């Protein structure tokens, strides 16, 4: 697809999200896109091949939660191709993002992106979430297409600081999945609007109280 078409798509999508992009951001954005497409020919990062759909279904989808990002240390659990952590890290250079994934191949890709984009606020951790025991806690846990809510709580709650939050991005949210949450678990369900995507998207914000 023509580069100018993709640039216009990026511009219009960011405008719909009330975000802006300078020349430096746009350069990093398209370098990331190019790396994703190159590596996707060798390892399974996404089933989506068309760059337009990658921008909409991965980049815009990731950025749709930007207004909920808070705190200083944020971990993206099951990061895969870097979503949602990497696109968000470009917009929050003063926050520290940690990309956690159990696949060595995907971690190699993530490290290559971090290196080529010269991202000083991003670290890659190659480990399973339930086995990862950091020396510090995180203000937020991000999960996108990772697991059901009950499993997310079990495998990531130990990573959070007191009064931390889990932001779980969902394509479709069923009553059965919500039933996994107890009455003590304070949560909020927020419909997400992803530019140019005609599909249901929701964000479940789980507030973890101080012990």
């Amino acid at each position: 697809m023509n580069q100018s078409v993709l640039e216009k798509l990026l511009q219009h999508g960011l405008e719909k999200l009330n975000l802006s992009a300078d020349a430096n951001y746009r350069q990093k954005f398209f370098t990331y896109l190019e790396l994703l497409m190159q590596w996707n020919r060798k390892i399974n990062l996404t089933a989506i091949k068309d760059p337009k759909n990658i921008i909409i279904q991965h980049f815009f989808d990731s950025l749709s939660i930007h207004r909920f990002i808070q705190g200083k240390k944020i971990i993206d659990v099951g990061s895969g191709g870097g979503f949602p952590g990497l696109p968000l890290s470009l917009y929050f250079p003063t926050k520290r993002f940690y990309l956690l994934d159990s696949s060595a191949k995907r971690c190699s890709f993530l490290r290559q992106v971090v290196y080529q984009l010269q991202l000083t606020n991003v670290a890659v951790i190659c480990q399973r979430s339930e086995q990862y025991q950091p020396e510090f806690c995180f203000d937020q846990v991000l999960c996108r297409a990772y697991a059901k809510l009950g499993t997310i709580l079990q495998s990531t709650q130990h990573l959070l600081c007191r009064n931390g939050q889990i932001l779980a991005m969902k394509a479709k949210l069923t009553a059965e999945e919500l039933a996994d949450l107890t009455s003590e678990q304070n949560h909020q369900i927020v419909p997400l609007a992803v530019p140019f995507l005609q599909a249901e998207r929701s964000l479940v914000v789980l507030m973890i109280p101080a012990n």
Side-chain angles (χ1 to χ4, degrees), residues 35-36 38-46 79-82 86 99-114 124-127:
L35 286 168
L36 181 71
Q38 288 176 355
W39 279 67
N40 201 47
R41 300 186 188 105
K42 300 181 291 183
I43 65 174
N44 182 29
L45 294 169
T46 174
S79 191
L86 275 175
L99 311 179
L100 180 69
D101 200 278
S102 61
S103 165
K105 290 181 178 179
R106 289 194 291 268
C107 288
S108 295
F109 165 73
L110 294 173
R111 291 190 180 104
Q112 185 66 27
V113 175
V114 171
V124 178
I125 303 158
C126 200
Q127 204 166 347

Side-chain angles (χ1 to χ4, degrees), residues 41-84:
R41 300 186 188 105
K42 300 181 291 183
I43 65 174
N44 182 29
L45 294 169
T46 174
I48 304 169
K49 310 299 182 184
D50 178 64
K52 175 184 175 182
N53 290 329
I54 289 175
I55 291 172
I56 294 171
Q57 296 185 47
H58 287 314
F59 287 95
F60 291 164
D61 187 63
S62 297
L63 292 172
S64 68
I65 66 167
H66 71 92
R67 65 187 187 277
F68 298 95
I69 300 300
Q70 61 187 39
K72 295 182 179 179
K73 290 187 177 70
I74 299 158
I75 185 166
D76 177 9
V77 174
S79 191
F83 305 109

Side-chain angles (χ1 to χ4, degrees), residues 26-202:
R26 292 196 298 271
Q27 180 182 1
K28 289 185 176 184
F29 177 92
F30 284 109
T31 298
Y32 181 12
L33 176 62
E34 183 180 351
L35 286 168
L36 181 71
M37 295 180 67
Q38 288 176 355
W39 279 67
N40 201 47
R41 300 186 188 105
K42 300 181 291 183
I43 65 174
N44 182 29
L45 294 169
T46 174
I48 304 169
K49 310 299 182 184
D50 178 64
K52 175 184 175 182
N53 290 329
I54 289 175
I55 291 172
I56 294 171
Q57 296 185 47
H58 287 314
F59 287 95
F60 291 164
D61 187 63
S62 297
L63 292 172
S64 68
I65 66 167
H66 71 92
R67 65 187 187 277
F68 298 95
I69 300 300
Q70 61 187 39
K72 295 182 179 179
K73 290 187 177 70
I74 299 158
I75 185 166
D76 177 9
V77 174
S79 191
F83 305 109
L86 275 175
L88 289 166
S89 72
L90 296 176
Y91 271 100
F92 297 98
T94 61
K95 299 182 186 296
R96 185 76 174 163
F97 285 81
Y98 296 78
L99 311 179
L100 180 69
D101 200 278
S102 61
S103 165
K105 290 181 178 179
R106 289 194 291 268
C107 288
S108 295
F109 165 73
L110 294 173
R111 291 190 180 104
Q112 185 66 27
V113 175
V114 171
Y115 171 75
Q116 290 202 218
L117 270 58
Q118 299 180 341
L119 300 176
T120 58
N121 65 325
V122 180
V124 178
I125 303 158
C126 200
Q127 204 166 347
R128 295 183 63 85
S129 59
E130 56 268 30
Q131 296 172 347
Y132 179 45
Q133 299 293 332
E135 297 178 354
F136 48 84
C137 61
F138 298 93
D139 299 299
Q140 288 185 318
V141 167
L142 311 181
C143 298
R144 178 178 179 265
Y146 175 63
K148 292 186 177 181
L149 293 174
T151 302
I152 290 172
L153 274 169
Q154 292 174 5
S155 62
T156 69
Q157 191 169 341
H158 69 284
L159 302 173
L160 283 168
C161 300
R162 292 181 177 181
N163 296 316
Q165 291 183 334
I166 296 173
L167 304 185
M169 303 177 70
K170 292 289 180 178
K172 283 194 175 181
L173 196 56
T174 64
E176 179 184 1
E177 186 170 359
L178 285 171
D180 289 340
L181 303 178
T182 68
S183 58
E184 298 176 354
Q185 288 160 344
N186 187 15
H187 67 277
Q188 178 185 7
I189 302 171
V190 183
L192 296 174
V194 179
F196 311 113
L197 182 64
Q198 301 299 319
E200 181 181 339
R201 291 289 187 271
S202 298

